[in-house]
Amino acid sequence: MSVIIKSAEDIEKMRIAGRLAAEVLEMIGPYVNPGVSTGELDRICHDYIVNVQQAIPAPLNYRGFPKSICTSINQVICHGIPSDDKILKKGDIINIDITVIKDGYHGDTSKMFFVGEGSPANQRLVEITQECLYLGIDLVKPGARLGDIGHVIQQHAESNHYSVVREYCGHGIGTVFHEDPQVLHYGRPGTGLELQAGMIFTIEPMINQGTRFNKLMKDGWTVVTKDRKPSAQWEHTILVTETGAEVLTRRQEETRFGQ
Ligand code: MF3
Ligand code: CO
Ligand code: CO
């Protein structure tokens, strides 16, 4: 495993890419309403990334992915393909996952939205999943191990009677979309890669209300829960600093990272 330690110049460009990705999530929020199609959300994000940000939507044509963002509704765990036929309805939960490339560098982030009001069960799933991400981020500092992060996420999810998806994970990121290391969302403390300042990777836990098992749909992308119960995911791109973590994709609504 070769994990790249980013230079000061790399980090400056990753800050910009991360901010742009966060801004797409902030921009799209008001459009996430009953009656809108995920195809329309894709077009709005695509046009914003290309025309306003003068950046590139990384998913488009990535390994054959046909759209510019991922939209994963209810039982879809990740990599849902936007479509004009997929209309959001009241009570849905949706993850929108944005990756932009600016000046050659990637920023990758996702969040959950409620369409109308969420059911208490879905609100709880979404909230616990966000806590899983935040608990992981709280452990990021030089000397910590990736297993520490995986463990705290797994612990929080399972103690709330949820399950952690194992087949998909966080990843190093920079000029390459998915690079080493793999960031598992389960694990044992004191194991795995030791973090060093200058590493940049995502944490992006996928947490299921039912079992952890999943299945790839015939389109070759859409991952769904095997039991068709809902799944939630939140993602940030994170820099390991000398003293802790800098969340490169922080949104304005997130006041907790003290940046
Ligand atoms: N953004 C996703 C991630 O968090 C990857 C999407 S790849 C795509 O790693 F091709 F589906 F867009
Ligand atoms: Co990612
Ligand atoms: Co992503």
Side-chain angles (χ1 to χ4, degrees), residues 76-102:
V76 178
I77 295 172
C78 62
H79 304 164
I81 303 173
S83 154
D84 291 340
D85 309 329
K86 215 152 272 150
I87 314 272
L88 298 184
K89 58 182 194 310
K90 244 196 276 174
D92 284 342
I93 55 172
I94 179 174
N95 174 278
I96 300 184
D97 192 338
I98 302 291
T99 311
V100 306
I101 309 172
K102 181 72 173 181

Side-chain angles (χ1 to χ4, degrees), residues 9 38 68 195 234 236 239:
E9 294 75 39
T38 54
S68 295
L195 303 186
W234 294 81
H236 272 312
L239 164 70

Side-chain angles (χ1 to χ4, degrees), residues 97 99 108-109 169-171 173 177-178 202 204 235:
D97 192 338
T99 311
D108 187 7
T109 185
C169 58
H171 50 91
I173 183 168
F177 194 166
H178 296 104
T202 72
E204 48 183 296
E235 173 176 28

Side-chain angles (χ1 to χ4, degrees), residues 11 48 71 76 88 138 158 167-168 178 225 232 250:
I11 289 169
Y48 187 80
T71 48
V76 178
L88 298 184
D138 285 344
E158 292 180 355
E167 290 77 5
Y168 302 88
H178 296 104
T225 57
R250 186 177 73 86

